[in-house]
Amino acid sequence: MLRNVFLKTVRDQSRALLFWGFGLVGLSLYATLFYPTIRDMPELNKLVEGLPEALKVMFLGEMGDFTSPVGYLNTELFFLWMPILFLVFTIGFGSGAIAGEEERGTLDLLLSHPLPRWRVVAEKFSAMVVASLALAFALWVGLAIGVTAVNMDISLGRVAEATLSGSLLGLVFGMVTLALGCATGNRGLSIGGAGALAVAAYILNSFARLTEVLKPYRKLSPFYYHVTSDPLANGLNLGDAGVLMGLIVALLVVALITFQRRDLAV
Amino acid sequence: MSNTVIRTQGLTKFYGRQRGVVDVNIQVERGEVFGYLGPNGAGKTTTIRLLLDLIRPTRGQASVFQMDTRRRGVAIRRRIGYLPGELALYENLTGAELLRYLGHLHGGVEWRYVAQLAARLECDLSQRIRSHSHGNKQKLGLIQAFMHRPELLILDEPSMGLDPLMQQEFYRLIGEAKAEGRTVFLSSHILPEVERVCDRVGIIREGRIIAVEDLATLKSRALRKLEIHFATSVPKEAFARVAGVRDVAVNNGVLRCTVVGTLDALIKAAAQFQVINVITHEPSLEEIFLTYYGGGESHAA
């Protein structure tokens, strides 16, 4: 596991990945196993409908029928919780990759070896992608078990597509963090910047549905491309997923260029 | 083929407005042990990090193995072993894991040789680096610099944190590298250490090279503070005009003076009295600079 930067990075995260994996399996089991109780309470829909719009767009997403399997999982998981958890993970990962090593001082030693800088960034990026996909897989496994156990009428393929969409969203902000770290070498700044951007993007996407003023800007929010096409109901929208992937690649290019150019801190 | 391993031309680095190094011109030949001597903050680490392309020059140029550091960094670093001045290691790994990792980054190393280095430096590779003492970490730093038998060793303050016994072993490693025709570029702020291992010394002060001397010249200029304790009081005149002796002060049978070059004349002068003790002090770099290089005129901070 110490053959190259990619494997070393995955290895360093292995324990964290294990805990995160178990946590996500637990979370998805909890959410699905709770579903029969909700399903048998159709009056919940009326209750939810009575909630203020602002509250709904903020925390519940674009739900149709809250008691349907798709509506329930979107509200419970894919609209808010999964993005939050994946963002926490990728932002942590992205900040540690370059800026973290630089602040600890180990980047000096690493880059005194015959490695081009772009390769270090590329290998750390690959490790982040693999780790995110591993977490997405853990979430899917938990959901698959739960969905089967309570007989939810939902396709596991669609569940996989929604999970993938969520992890792409997470990777966008992970890449924002990594790129900020590559450009500045400042770990705190990369976390703060990406976190602030994520909150702003979330709020923009949510409230743009209520306010005419914000509506045209909704497409600026990466959350839009995860939520709007509703991958759990309709499958992964290739256009929207493509936008997220394009953002990831663009940010990777920014990271590579800025990191190539600057002085490393001692 | 030229034998120049390191050559810098007008190498200059500013961090914003802060001075790193200014117009550094040095040339190091194959098989040489080159000492880079200067007080802390003089720009030694800056020069080294420029050679490794970790930072980029404000102006000027540097080449290693006749390759430009900016364009051929990877090819250069393949042939270098580097010990950072502020060594930071992956604390979560054991010593062995760290060396395997770094070895892989060099395209593989002969593990027998690594184990041999570890044994010579008495470095325990099985412990997590987190629990290592400073000295042990420094040993790991040395092992990783030597383990792939690089053509050029760049060592930033290498003996820091090593106990005297290990310093000897380290000097032997340097000697062996030199005997095998490899080149060593070593920075230090300790004159005796540089005198001990280097063939040639570049002296840097406040970012500028003020002299490049070979060892013989440096030694002939050796500056020592000496204290000789006599059984009885001695006359000051007996020492005032001895060759190479200055700043003579005599007090209650204790002579204090500064000696330039060889001690021979002074010892012979002292021998006519009953000597109880001789104490020498290594002068600080600043004192040497003041004596030989006029202290420099650049006191503008």
Side-chain angles (χ1 to χ4, degrees):
Chain A
M1 284 305 276
L2 291 163
R3 294 205 75 84
N4 54 42
V5 177
F6 168 76
L7 287 174
K8 155 90 164 48
T9 310
V10 173
R11 177 189 190 278
D12 285 346
Q13 293 290 329
S14 55
R15 186 175 304 182
L17 276 173
L18 200 69
F19 287 133
W20 272 87
F22 277 122
L24 287 172
V25 170
L27 175 74
S28 45
L29 277 178
Y30 164 81
T32 41
L33 296 182
F34 205 66
Y35 175 66
T37 325
I38 303 291
R39 180 181 49 202
D40 300 337
M41 289 196 290
E43 59 275 22
L44 252 179
N45 268 330
K46 288 204 187 73
L47 185 78
V48 170
E49 264 164 46
L51 288 174
E53 271 307 299
L55 212 62
K56 279 199 277 187
V57 295
M58 209 39 201
F59 299 108
L60 303 178
E62 339 204 350
M63 29 166 302
D65 181 2
F66 180 52
T67 58
S68 77
V70 167
Y72 173 77
L73 279 186
N74 265 337
T75 308
E76 278 293 289
L77 208 59
F78 288 108
F79 178 67
L80 182 58
W81 277 107
M82 185 202 172
I84 287 184
L85 290 172
F86 273 62
L87 255 73
V88 168
F89 179 80
T90 52
I91 288 178
F93 201 117
S95 69
I98 296 294
E101 272 217 37
E102 193 165 356
E103 286 189 3
R104 280 194 302 276
T106 50
L107 197 61
D108 217 52
L109 186 66
L110 181 62
L111 284 174
S112 73
H113 285 76
L115 290 168
R117 291 188 185 185
W118 64 262
R119 217 179 102 190
V120 174
V121 177
E123 292 197 32
K124 298 239 174 193
F125 164 74
S126 312
M128 181 164 77
V129 172
V130 167
S132 292
L133 293 180
L135 291 189
F137 181 69
L139 186 71
W140 180 84
V141 167
L143 286 171
I145 296 170
V147 161
T148 317
V150 301
N151 253 326
M152 274 171 103
D153 182 21
I154 193 166
S155 138
L156 289 182
R158 289 281 183 263
V159 171
E161 287 174 81
T163 315
L164 182 64
S165 166
S167 51
L168 284 177
L169 180 66
L171 280 171
V172 168
F173 289 97
M175 262 324 293
V176 170
T177 324
L178 183 61
L180 281 172
C182 278
T184 65
N186 185 331
R187 186 168 164 273
L189 180 123
S190 72
I191 295 176
L197 214 59
V199 170
Y202 180 80
I203 291 175
L204 172 64
N205 176 57
S206 301
F207 279 106
R209 274 160 51 211
L210 291 187
T211 13
E212 282 301 323
V213 195
L214 288 178
K215 219 163 238 165
Y217 304 107
R218 200 178 165 200
K219 289 189 170 178
L220 290 177
S221 169
F223 281 84
Y224 173 87
Y225 303 95
H226 166 59
V227 170
T228 318
S229 56
D230 196 352
L232 194 57
N234 311 318
L236 199 63
N237 179 306
L238 289 183
D240 285 1
V243 171
L244 293 178
M245 285 193 246
L247 275 172
I248 293 168
V249 171
L251 287 162
L252 178 63
V253 171
V254 170
L256 291 172
I257 292 174
T258 52
F259 189 53
Q260 192 66 40
R261 288 187 176 174
R262 80 180 163 88
D263 289 349
L264 300 186
V266 183
Chain B
M1 194 181 108
S2 159
N3 269 327
T4 303
V5 174
I6 298 175
R7 181 208 291 272
T8 71
Q9 286 162 309
L11 192 62
T12 301
K13 177 68 185 175
F14 280 88
Y15 303 99
R17 293 181 58 188
Q18 202 196 332
R19 183 269 305 155
V21 291
V22 185
D23 289 327
V24 167
N25 298 305
I26 42 179
Q27 187 163 335
V28 179
E29 303 298 324
R30 187 174 305 278
E32 221 181 356
V33 179
F34 187 90
Y36 200 40
L37 182 68
N40 291 324
K44 301 190 297 288
T45 299
T46 298
T47 311
I48 287 175
R49 298 182 84 235
L50 284 165
L51 293 177
L52 290 159
D53 195 36
L54 294 168
I55 53 176
R56 278 64 189 270
T58 310
R59 64 188 140 80
Q61 186 265 340
S63 64
V64 180
F65 305 118
Q66 288 126 58
M67 293 184 277
D68 185 81
T69 51
R70 288 289 287 108
R71 270 172 292 155
R72 305 287 308 278
V74 175
I76 290 171
R77 295 198 298 272
R78 190 163 289 134
R79 298 156 69 180
I80 288 182
Y82 166 56
L83 173 72
E86 261 175 60
L87 181 64
L89 303 169
Y90 297 103
E91 305 263 319
N92 60 326
L93 302 182
T94 66
E97 285 169 343
L98 173 83
L99 296 176
R100 283 200 193 279
Y101 179 47
L102 299 179
H104 283 308
L105 298 182
H106 267 300
V109 291
E110 188 197 332
W111 195 254
R112 264 214 344 247
Y113 184 55
V114 175
Q116 198 186 323
L117 285 172
R120 284 180 65 179
L121 289 169
E122 294 173 20
C123 182
D124 180 0
L125 298 183
S126 64
Q127 296 286 315
R128 288 219 178 276
I129 295 170
R130 189 174 291 119
S131 64
H132 272 310
S133 66
H134 183 73
N136 245 324
K137 287 182 192 171
Q138 190 72 4
K139 291 177 191 174
L140 280 174
L142 283 172
I143 295 171
Q144 64 83 30
F146 277 87
M147 68 181 175
H148 53 292
R149 302 178 195 264
E151 284 170 66
L152 170 63
L153 285 148
I154 295 185
L155 311 170
D156 196 358
E157 301 276 357
S159 62
M160 248 197 317
L162 291 183
D163 62 57
L165 222 59
M166 285 307 120
Q167 273 181 32
Q168 301 307 316
E169 195 58 44
F170 164 63
Y171 295 149
R172 273 195 283 279
L173 282 172
I174 298 271
E176 289 165 24
K178 180 179 155 64
E180 288 163 22
R182 295 188 272 150
T183 312
V184 181
F185 184 94
L186 170 160
S187 88
S188 176
H189 64 281
I190 307 160
L191 180 65
E193 170 170 283
V194 166
E195 282 181 340
R196 163 128 204 197
V197 295
C198 298
D199 305 316
R200 227 152 48 89
V201 179
I203 300 175
I204 181 169
R205 183 166 188 273
E206 293 183 4
R208 293 172 188 274
I209 301 283
I210 53 176
V212 178
E213 317 260 30
D214 37 79
L215 194 67
T217 317
L218 203 69
K219 278 208 164 141
S220 74
R221 289 176 159 189
L223 188 71
R224 258 175 291 249
K225 297 210 145 183
L226 217 70
E227 219 177 284
I228 304 183
H229 295 236
F230 297 97
T232 54
S233 66
V234 291
K236 186 177 175 181
E237 302 77 57
F239 300 100
R241 262 185 296 260
V242 177
V245 175
R246 47 169 95 164
D247 310 330
V248 176
V250 176
N251 193 4
N252 287 334
V254 178
L255 161 76
R256 289 191 180 81
C257 61
T258 306
V259 186
V260 180
T262 157
L263 294 181
D264 186 64
L266 177 67
I267 295 295
K268 282 182 175 146
Q272 57 185 304
F273 307 100
Q274 192 184 346
V275 176
I276 294 174
N277 198 1
V278 180
I279 303 165
T280 76
H281 303 284
E282 286 300 337
S284 71
L285 280 183
E286 275 307 310
E287 285 174 283
I288 295 170
F289 292 155
L290 283 169
T291 310
Y292 291 114
Y293 309 107
E297 54 294 320
S298 50
H299 277 291

